[in-house]
Amino acid sequence: MALTTKLEKMAVESRVTQEEIKKEPEKPIDREKTCPLLLRVFTTNNGRHHRMDEFSRGNVPSSELQIYTWMDATLKELTSLVKEVYSDARKKGTHFNFAIVYPDPKRQGYRVKEIGSTISGRKGSDDSMTLQSQRFQIGDYLDITITPPNRAPPPPGRMRPY
């Protein structure tokens, strides 16, 4: 997989109707025969996703990371690619929260949909979640918050009394 941080100013945006999505079950992708897509990823390390106004009027946040991947890429796979670029994110226990940023034609802006999270060095329930399963569309952006282990919230789940 190729990885680059070079800024790309133009992006093609497309939307598929809900009926079309329901008709298409998730098919396995042959990565040898299928051309990868350009995934434009924006990261923060303040524990919050970017504000939607940072994506307005053709502008995007400056923290862009470009990843060539496929629709069957998992959140764990994307986490490992981000860790290749940001050495601080390699620490065990670092939290990665993922959100899809997509155009909202009704409001002439963007909307955000949180889709899941991973933790570096730990297995989690969202690890195998794919872009395709979350209805990611080519042209959408991915916004990832990277939270160091010392500032991360406790992992979700039941606390067992002793």
Side-chain angles (χ1 to χ4, degrees), residues 14-152:
S14 68
R15 281 270 145 231
V16 177
T17 65
Q18 292 299 321
E19 294 78 35
E20 290 172 316
I21 290 170
K22 288 175 187 168
K23 288 179 192 171
E24 294 183 34
E26 204 171 310
K27 301 173 200 141
I29 294 173
D30 183 348
R31 291 185 175 193
E32 293 293 318
K33 295 180 180 173
T34 305
C35 183
L37 61 96
L38 173 64
L39 179 62
R40 296 180 72 189
V41 177
F42 299 91
T43 60
T44 65
N45 57 8
N46 63 10
R48 285 180 254 117
H49 289 289
H50 287 95
R51 296 183 328 272
M52 290 305 98
D53 65 351
E54 292 181 78
F55 294 94
S56 64
R57 293 182 290 284
N59 295 320
V60 291
S62 61
S63 61
E64 183 171 1
L65 175 65
Q66 295 184 349
I67 298 173
Y68 289 93
T69 192
W70 292 266
M71 291 294 281
D72 66 347
T74 64
L75 297 188
K76 197 62 162 184
E77 183 180 351
L78 296 170
T79 297
S80 67
L81 293 171
V82 170
K83 290 188 325 187
E84 284 181 27
V85 176
Y86 299 117
S87 59
D88 291 349
R90 296 179 193 149
K91 293 179 183 144
K92 187 174 182 177
T94 300
H95 284 240
F96 297 81
N97 291 310
F98 294 80
I100 297 172
V101 178
Y102 60 96
D104 181 1
K106 294 176 187 168
R107 290 196 270 164
Q108 300 296 315
Y110 286 85
R111 297 191 67 170
V112 64
K113 174 187 166 192
E114 293 201 29
I115 60 170
S117 63
T118 61
I119 302 173
S120 185
R122 293 193 200 144
K123 290 187 181 189
S125 58
D126 295 341
D127 289 357
S128 60
M129 184 180 295
T130 65
L131 293 174
Q132 187 173 19
S133 73
Q134 296 304 301
R135 297 195 169 123
F136 178 88
Q137 299 294 310
I138 294 174
D140 292 349
Y141 303 129
L142 198 62
D143 196 73
I144 305 173
T145 64
I146 302 170
T147 310
N150 57 348
R151 291 193 295 153

